[in-house]
């Protein structure tokens, strides 16, 4: 927990639910052939970039000491760029940057301790090159209970890298964040950021923080982001959010997000924590290392995710989808008008999610997620993951889901968790239709009915260690009203069905 500012977090508990005590590596031993040379002029100017052992994110470390004879690197600081820690399993792939002796390829550079820039050009006339040296972490800040301000038609470019700046853990999800951005809106209302370009910020693009209301982010392009596009983050007194020092009624609409997470791999187009009544609509998001949208907790709920196109996500990590949610840590909020720990229902509908790369789930409702209605969505390669309580997935199309099949039921919070998978169409070549991890397979915590399933004759449902053929599954009282066919429809019919499902988006 001491890595973070403030030095507290959900993961700083001795036995956090769903995880392990937080720790990160403090050094590494490298192999004899890992580097082209081990003679480094200024090793403590170097930075190690390393993946988490399970590829849930990555870390950055400033080198503190270097011993070429024992082949060891000790870290001076870093490791706070994700919240879960290593669970004692160390890290994975890594590389070292800002070492003079590694300057051997076109467009590479090295900045020496005396601020001399060494650069390897990729052509003969270096005088035609433009060098930009970022100076500011934050280009523009709106704060102090400002109101009724519109920022439009602007370009915010080349803010400083922030991955070795302080990070914090806003709530019980896996993510930590740098609480800063190229543009910051703090404790303000009725602010609009429109028709602007966010180009190559060294960290996050836009931060909406604290007691904010009716902030609109519309028609912008955010590209080549060091970390995330938009952060929406509130403040609470531990579990008490009744003071309402949080963003409410934020609208993220008609934006283009792409080339995200150049440095941080636990990043998204839109990240939300301790906020409610957020609308994310009609955006295009692609080319990112992890989720397109990450909701780090349940807080007040009442969110709407509608009409978005998300693809090429989870490119450099695993165990996520284009949309990801958690709710490991309950809060008391006034989202419903009076103090309550039960969030409002959130609606995720009319989205087209292409779950390629390592994106196994479409709507990845992870640990503790609840009070979600997912409907009229089209998923290609994605599963409906139901993990928590009160999640309804209906009237959607799943085309060629991978891994867990059409529906994955995991870790219900209680015997009345109310998972529903109803009136969906699932078209697949693989044979696992559903994967239900609780071994008892009681029907009182989930409902799967009135679905159209197109799958091979050998299709089955996995329930714990027990496997049912489709006929056995229905004979046991599951899948009522569902229709099974081993004749997959042609591509033209699938496209027509997808258009019908998304009609009205």
């Amino acid at each position: 927990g001491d890595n973070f500012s403030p030095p507290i977090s959900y993961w700083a508990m001795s036995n956090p639910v769903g995880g392990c005590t937080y720790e990160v590596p403090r050094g590494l031993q490298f192999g004899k052939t890992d580097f082209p040379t081990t003679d480094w002029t200024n090793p403590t100017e170097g930075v190690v970039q390393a993946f988490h052992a399970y590829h849930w994110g990555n870390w950055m470390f400033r080198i503190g000491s270097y011993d070429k004879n024992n082949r060891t690197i000790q870290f001076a600081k870093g490791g706070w760029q994700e919240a879960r820690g290593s669970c004692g399993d160390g890290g994975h792939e890594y590389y070292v940057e800002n070492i003079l002796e590694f300057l051997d390829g076109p467009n590479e550079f090295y900045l020496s301790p005396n601020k001399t820039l060494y650069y390897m050009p990729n052509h003969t006339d270096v005088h035609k090159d433009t060098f930009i040296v970022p100076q500011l972490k934050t280009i523009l800040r709106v704060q102090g209970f400002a109101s009724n301000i519109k920022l439009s038609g602007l370009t915010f470019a080349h803010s400083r890298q922030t991955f070795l700046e302080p990070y914090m853990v806003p709530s019980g999800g896996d993510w930590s964040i740098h609480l800063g951005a190229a543009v910051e809106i703090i404790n303000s209302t009725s602010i609009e950021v429109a028709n602007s370009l966010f180009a190559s910020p060294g960290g996050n693009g836009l931060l909406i923080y604290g007691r904010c209301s009716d902030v609109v982010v519309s028609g912008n392009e955010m590209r080549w982001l060091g970390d995330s596009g938009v952060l929406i983050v509130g403040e609470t007194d531990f579990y008490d959010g009744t003071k309402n020092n949080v963003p409410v009624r934020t609208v993220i609409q008609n934006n283009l997000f792409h080339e995200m997470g150049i440095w941080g791999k636990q990043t998204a187009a839109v990240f939300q924590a301790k906020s409610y009544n957020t609308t994310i609509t009609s955006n295009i998001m692609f080319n990112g290392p992890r989720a397109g949208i990450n909701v780090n907790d349940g807080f007040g709920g009442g969110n709407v995710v509608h009409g978005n196109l998300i693809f090429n996500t989870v490119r450099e990590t695993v165990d996520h989808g284009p949309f990801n949610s958690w709710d490991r840590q309950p809060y008391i909020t006034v989202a419903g008008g009076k103090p309550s720990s039960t969030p409002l229902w959130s609606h995720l509908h009319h989205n087209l999610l292409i779950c390629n790369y390592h994106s196994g789930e479409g709507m990845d409702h992870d640990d503790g997620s609840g009070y979600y209605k997912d409907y009229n969505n089209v998923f290609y390669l994605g599963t409906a993951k139901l993990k928590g309580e009160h999640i309804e997935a209906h009237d959607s199309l799943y085309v060629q889901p991978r891994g867990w099949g059409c529906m994955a039921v995991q870790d219900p919070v209680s015997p009345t968790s109310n998972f529903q998978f109803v009136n969906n169409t699932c078209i697949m070549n693989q044979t696992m239709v559903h994967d239900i991890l609780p071994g008892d397979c009681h029907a009182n915590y989930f409902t799967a009915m009135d679905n159209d399933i197109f799958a091979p004759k050998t299709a089955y449902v996995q329930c714990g260690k027990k496997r049912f053929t489709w006929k056995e599954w229905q004979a046991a009282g599951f899948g009522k009203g569902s229709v099974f066919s081993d004749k997959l429809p042609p591509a033209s019919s699938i496209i027509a069905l997808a258009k019908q499902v998304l009609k009205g988006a």
Side-chain angles (χ1 to χ4, degrees), residues 435-501:
D435 187 23
I436 301 167
L437 292 184
D440 54 7
C441 212
H442 290 314
N444 59 342
Y445 59 78
F446 76 92
T447 300
M449 61 184 293
D450 297 331
N451 299 296
D452 293 333
I453 308 296
F454 298 86
K457 291 181 179 180
T458 54
Y460 65 91
V461 174
Q462 191 73 34
C463 186
K465 295 182 179 180
K466 188 172 182 179
R467 179 173 295 187
F468 296 83
T469 66
W470 184 260
K471 288 185 178 179
E472 292 171 339
W473 172 253
Q474 289 197 304
F478 300 103
K480 293 180 180 179
S482 296
V483 177
F484 178 88
S485 174
D486 62 2
K487 300 186 186 312
L488 271 64
S492 57
S493 297
I494 296 173
I495 293 171
L497 180 57
K499 290 180 178 180
Q500 182 62 33
V501 169

Side-chain angles (χ1 to χ4, degrees), residues 120 134 346 401:
M120 182 73 72
S346 290

Side-chain angles (χ1 to χ4, degrees), residues 118-331:
Y118 296 80
Y119 172 65
M120 182 73 72
N122 65 355
H123 51 79
T124 56
D125 192 358
V126 71
H127 298 290
K128 292 183 179 180
D129 288 339
T130 299
F131 295 87
I132 298 172
V133 182
Q135 300 292 310
L136 302 174
K137 290 183 293 184
T138 300
I139 298 170
L140 177 65
R141 179 181 294 125
V142 178
Q143 66 177 12
F145 302 99
S147 63
N148 299 306
I149 296 173
K150 182 173 183 178
L151 308 173
S152 182
L154 303 173
T155 296
F156 305 101
H158 306 294
S159 56
R160 280 174 46 194
Q161 295 172 356
T162 55
F163 57 72
L164 286 177
E165 300 290 334
Y167 273 56
M168 57 93 73
V169 181
S171 54
D174 282 8
W175 292 30
S176 64
I177 59 170
H178 172 64
L179 196 63
V183 176
E184 300 175 357
I185 300 171
I186 303 171
N187 295 329
S188 298
T189 185
S190 299
I191 310 297
E192 183 175 0
V193 181
N195 305 317
S196 294
L197 172 64
F198 292 73
S200 300
N204 303 303
L206 174 64
L207 169 66
I208 303 167
Y209 178 65
R211 196 179 187 87
C212 292
S213 61
D214 303 299
V215 174
V216 177
V217 182
S218 178
N220 304 285
E221 180 181 2
M222 297 191 181
R223 68 190 188 202
W224 296 104
L225 300 155
D227 285 335
S228 292
V230 179
L231 304 182
I232 310 167
V233 184
E235 287 184 340
T236 61
D237 295 328
F238 296 100
Y239 61 84
D240 184 357
T242 57
K243 291 181 180 178
N244 219 32
N245 292 325
V246 301
V248 298
R249 298 188 302 276
T250 304
V251 177
I252 312 295
Q253 64 183 12
N254 299 319
N255 301 285
L256 175 63
F257 300 90
H258 61 104
E259 319 323 315
M260 301 167 283
I262 302 304
W263 302 114
K265 305 308 177 186
Q266 202 170 64
T267 48
V270 179
F271 171 92
Q272 175 170 319
K274 293 190 289 195
S275 312
Y276 64 91
N277 283 351
T278 299
T279 298
I280 304 172
T281 181
S282 305
N283 302 284
I284 299 175
M285 308 170 180
F286 63 94
N287 291 356
R290 204 135 175 77
I293 300 170
N294 183 64
V295 179
N296 214 52
D297 51 61
F299 201 69
N303 304 303
V304 176
V305 178
H306 161 263
N308 300 284
L309 169 62
I310 310 177
F311 61 98
N312 287 8
T313 57
V314 200
R315 297 201 302 174
E316 299 174 81
T317 59
V318 297
D319 195 14
H320 244 32
F323 175 92
N324 183 81
S325 65
W326 284 292
D327 194 14
R328 299 188 181 109
Q329 185 174 2
Y331 291 94

